[in-house]
Amino acid sequence: MASNLETLVTVYGGSGFIGRSVVRALCKRDYRVRVAVRRPELAGHLQPLGRVGQIHAVQANLRYPTSVEAAMRDSHVAINLVGILAPGGAQTFEAVQARGAGAVAKAAAATGARMVHVSAIGADENSLSAYARSKAAGEKAVLSAVPSATILRPSVVFGPEDQFTNRFAALARLSPALPLIGGGLTKLQPVYVGDVASAVADAVDGKAKAGATYELGGPEVLTMREIMEIILDITERKRMLIPLPFGLAQLQALFLQFAPGALKLTPDQVVLLRSDNVVSDAAKAAGLTLEGLGIAPDSMEAIGPQYLWRFRAAGQFQKSA
């Protein structure tokens, strides 16, 4: 049996939040890792995750298929992690999450490489959300080019440097009150980034079903209100939680979409919050979940204190990298 050291895995978007954990997981399993990113000179932070020479960063932009193909050269497995929460300039949902995913899949097919594609729970070609529609289009493009690809759909992902828990913890430091869009009743199933990375690595190992779509969620289904309460409890802050109707939130988002940092809120994100984001009963019945892969997911309450301590009222604020 060939050693993992003989297997080259190209990770598109490997320098991002999820990418860092995926690269770490792959290195622990002795794979050779090629990280394909737009700015490889800014990916030096990945080197300590593996042994000398195990990680190599190359330039690739999903909007330019030629660069995607070059990054795939001689690869045995392709992993696509590239995604955006809000469009900006040429980086549109369609360009990045739909056509971009297709470009990676076509390059993988041409090379004969296996593929793992990370999408999102809620991907739906009929959704009112442009984000969700582009995720669905990306899945379709991937399976069209590589029918044996494994699709992983996580719920909202949390962990160090995430744009979810860290964002609300930062807002809690800046504001005496926090809004609960739609009353905070939307249900989510927050999943730890380390568990998502383990699922990706398992798929690379060949433990996941070819051509299957897995839904990845944490051990608990929580409402947005419950999540905010957990974050406030961990950061030891007392803040008012004020219900904000969807209509008013949509109106505010027309202006906040241009705001910086933690204050940013887009109309499309408000649309997403109108629907629950949890693992389906169908996925559970088919064993297409973290548990189906033999992974016991970690909860936000267990992991959050490890990195949200920096936002505690008694401590000195430290901006997340």
Side-chain angles (χ1 to χ4, degrees):
M1 181 178 293
S3 165
N4 285 348
L5 289 172
E6 299 175 23
T7 302
L8 175 60
V9 182
T10 295
V11 185
Y12 291 85
S15 64
F17 165 54
I18 295 177
R20 300 176 193 189
S21 290
V22 168
V23 169
R24 181 184 295 109
L26 293 172
C27 286
K28 287 183 177 179
R29 302 189 191 196
D30 293 330
Y31 288 104
R32 288 188 294 130
V33 181
R34 178 185 290 158
V35 180
V37 291
R38 287 192 298 163
R39 299 286 300 277
E41 70 275 13
L42 300 180
H45 59 278
L46 297 175
Q47 293 302 324
L49 302 180
R51 297 186 303 277
V52 175
Q54 189 177 11
I55 302 170
H56 178 57
V58 299
Q59 198 281 332
N61 187 324
L62 266 57
R63 292 188 291 110
Y64 299 97
T66 301
S67 70
V68 174
E69 294 165 4
M72 186 70 71
R73 190 174 297 121
D74 299 324
S75 298
H76 302 94
V77 186
I79 299 173
N80 182 39
L81 302 173
V82 181
I84 54 176
L85 295 176
Q91 296 291 100
T92 65
F93 287 139
E94 176 66 22
V96 175
Q97 298 181 162
R99 294 196 302 271
V104 174
K106 289 176 182 177
T111 307
R114 293 188 291 116
M115 184 167 178
V116 181
H117 175 64
V118 176
S119 181
I121 287 180
D124 180 359
E125 62 183 358
N126 297 314
S127 174
L128 295 177
S129 161
Y131 172 90
R133 292 196 303 273
S134 68
K135 283 292 188 179
E139 292 182 5
K140 184 176 181 179
V142 166
L143 291 174
S144 176
V146 186
S148 62
T150 298
I151 307 293
L152 302 179
R153 291 179 169 181
S155 182
V156 61
V157 183
F158 70 90
E161 300 161 345
D162 70 32
Q163 295 186 48
F164 180 60
T165 58
N166 285 284
R167 175 186 183 181
F168 290 118
L171 279 174
R173 187 178 188 276
L174 298 171
S175 173
L178 298 175
L180 292 175
I181 297 175
L185 301 178
T186 306
K187 295 178 181 178
L188 307 176
Q189 199 166 345
V191 59
Y192 174 47
V193 66
D195 295 330
V196 174
S198 292
V200 173
D202 280 353
V204 174
D205 284 346
K207 297 178 182 178
K209 297 178 182 178
T213 297
Y214 286 75
E215 297 185 7
L216 313 181
E220 298 177 308
V221 172
L222 302 167
T223 64
M224 274 301 299
R225 173 181 283 276
E226 290 171 330
I227 290 171
M228 298 284 265
E229 289 172 345
I230 289 172
I231 293 172
L232 291 174
D233 182 60
I234 292 173
T235 57
E236 299 178 351
R237 291 186 179 277
K238 295 184 182 298
R239 294 291 184 266
M240 291 185 292
L241 297 177
I242 302 177
L244 184 66
F246 281 116
L248 184 55
Q250 196 78 32
L251 180 61
Q252 291 187 353
L254 293 175
F255 302 95
L256 292 177
Q257 63 183 316
F258 304 109
L263 296 175
K264 187 180 184 70
L265 177 67
T266 71
D268 197 72
Q269 289 168 346
V270 176
V271 172
L272 282 171
L273 284 172
R274 288 180 177 271
S275 301
D276 293 338
N277 194 274
V278 299
V279 174
S280 68
D281 290 336
K284 293 176 185 176
L288 300 177
T289 61
L290 284 174
E291 291 84 355
L293 289 170
I295 300 171
D298 289 300
S299 70
M300 183 183 295
E301 288 178 289
I303 300 296
Q306 298 178 20
Y307 63 93
L308 290 177
W309 58 267
R310 69 189 68 181
F311 294 101
R312 287 178 182 164
Q316 177 66 35
F317 174 74
Q318 176 181 336
K319 185 177 179 181
S320 177

